[in-house]
Every structure is written in structure tokens, then in C-alpha cells.
Amino acid sequence: MTPTEPLVRHTADQAAVRPPLPVKLVIAGGFGVGKTTAVGAISEIEPLTTEAAITEVAAGVDDLSHTPRKTTTTVAMDFGCITIDPTLKLYLFGTPGQERFGFMWDDIVEGAVGGLVIVDTRRLDDCYAAVDYFEHRRIPFAVAVNAFDGRVAHTLEEVRWALDVSEGVPVLLFDARERGSVRDALLVVLEQALARTEG
């Protein structure tokens, strides 16, 4: 072998194979709306979570009235990933839902092409901060209304009106526990991001 010859010879097929394009998406929303559940439902790897037990002090701050069985909460972020096809891999970052952890959002969202804001219709007030965040930073996003116990308290149009989001922002019904439902919601966010780049 001469010094100019490669140490490893690649076939034409091997040379054509490229790793999938990495794309960062953020999953946001209020406390207990299903962000950790959604990441866990779709991730092809064991998701990284930063769950901590809800203490008596935290219980006095966080509204547990609609989530009485919730015993832990995200204190930094959730992380997972899913390969959409051989050309595209999504890296998912879930934000903490409590307002007191809002200082982390800029770091978590940096480099993201879009966001999915999860909403619990029993507590619409909890998602205003997430909607405002993406609107003010002009990051494409969709609103996913999580069906707790298979029910929602308001129609999608009522949710759109209450959140005051434009017609260009998709508002959809989904189930954070169902892999296919989470996948479809993430694909809607990808479409929003693609439309923004083409626009």
C-alpha cells in the first residue's frame, strides 16, 4: 500500500450513506401537562429525565389539584431522540414547567427549530408563558392539547381563542402517552419549521 492510499477502502454504497440530519425540538408547557410522558413515549433511547420528588414545600407552590397522583417533577430538562427516517433525527428537549425554573429556558431552546407547547385544558393559564416565549422569539410552534383521561375541557377553537394564537399556529388534540400521537404532533412542528424556512 502506498502512503496516499486510504487505510480503509469504502464501497460506493458506503460512501453514499450519511448520518441523519440532527434537528432540535423543544417540548414545553406548564407543570404536569405531560412533557416528560411525551418524551418517554416517543424516544428510541432511554430518556434522560431530571425528576425530583415533590416536597411539602414544592406542593405548597405547585398546583397539584388536577394532578393528585403526581409525585415527581422535572427540575432541569428531559431529553430523548427519535429517528424519523434515514435522513432525519429529532433531538427532543423538554423544559421544566414551573415558572421558577424559567431561567433555564434560553439555554434549553438555543438552536431549536421549533417547539411543541402541551396544554391541559383544565389549566390553560399554565401554558401562557410557553406560548409567549415562542411567539416573542419567533420560533415556530404548535399547540398540543393533551387528552387527560380521554377528555378535554374545551374545544380546539376555544383553546385557540383563549391562548390568542394566530390561525398560522396549529392547535391539535393528542395523547402524550401514545407514541403515534406524539410522532404526529412533532411532525406538525417540523412542517411549521420548514414552512418558516421556505417563507
Side-chain angles (χ1 to χ4, degrees), residues 6-46:
L7 294 176
V8 179
R9 293 183 176 86
H10 296 285
T11 66
D13 288 342
Q14 288 173 321
V17 175
R18 294 190 173 134
L21 179 70
V23 174
K24 181 178 181 179
L25 293 182
V26 172
I27 298 179
F31 170 74
V33 296
K35 300 179 298 295
T36 300
T37 300
V39 172
I42 193 71
S43 181
E44 64 194 13
I45 63 169
E46 184 68 28

Side-chain angles (χ1 to χ4, degrees), residues 146-161:
N146 198 4
F148 283 87
D149 300 319
R151 300 188 309 271
V152 293
H154 303 284
T155 68
L156 297 184
E157 280 310 307
E158 288 171 337
V159 171
R160 178 183 298 282
W161 178 84

Side-chain angles (χ1 to χ4, degrees), residues 6 14 16 20 23 36 47 57 88 119 121 126-127 148 152 160 174 188:
Q14 288 173 321
V23 174
T36 300
V57 173
L88 187 64
V119 171
T121 55
D126 291 354
C127 70
F148 283 87
V152 293
R160 178 183 298 282
F174 98 134
V188 169

Side-chain angles (χ1 to χ4, degrees), residues 7-187:
L7 294 176
V8 179
R9 293 183 176 86
H10 296 285
T11 66
D13 288 342
Q14 288 173 321
V17 175
R18 294 190 173 134
L21 179 70
V23 174
K24 181 178 181 179
L25 293 182
V26 172
I27 298 179
F31 170 74
V33 296
K35 300 179 298 295
T36 300
T37 300
V39 172
I42 193 71
S43 181
E44 64 194 13
I45 63 169
E46 184 68 28
L48 168 68
T49 61
T50 55
E51 294 282 293
I54 296 176
T55 63
E56 288 185 21
V57 173
V61 175
D62 300 321
D63 181 8
L64 300 176
S65 60
H66 292 289
T67 55
R69 295 186 300 271
K70 187 170 177 62
T71 59
T72 62
T73 185
T74 301
V75 294
M77 68 173 188
D78 299 312
F79 172 77
C81 62
I82 179 68
T83 303
I84 299 297
D85 61 36
T87 67
L88 187 64
K89 187 168 188 172
L90 302 184
Y91 290 89
L92 308 173
F93 291 78
T95 65
Q98 301 92 324
E99 197 172 316
R100 63 184 180 278
F101 296 126
F103 66 92
M104 300 178 186
W105 276 47
D106 286 343
D107 289 333
I108 293 172
V109 172
E110 184 176 358
V113 300
L116 183 69
V117 177
I118 301 179
V119 171
D120 179 351
T121 55
R122 301 168 300 179
R123 301 177 287 132
L124 284 174
D125 289 358
D126 291 354
C127 70
Y128 290 152
V131 168
D132 288 346
Y133 187 93
F134 289 112
E135 283 183 338
H136 290 144
R137 284 158 183 79
R138 300 183 54 77
I139 298 171
F141 71 100
V143 173
V145 177
N146 198 4
F148 283 87
D149 300 319
R151 300 188 309 271
V152 293
H154 303 284
T155 68
L156 297 184
E157 280 310 307
E158 288 171 337
V159 171
R160 178 183 298 282
W161 178 84
L163 299 181
D164 193 27
V165 292
S166 72
E167 288 297 323
V169 175
V171 178
L172 51 110
L173 186 65
F174 98 134
D175 188 329
R177 302 166 299 178
E178 297 292 330
R179 181 181 177 86
S181 186
V182 177
R183 178 205 60 214
D184 291 347
L186 294 174
L187 290 176

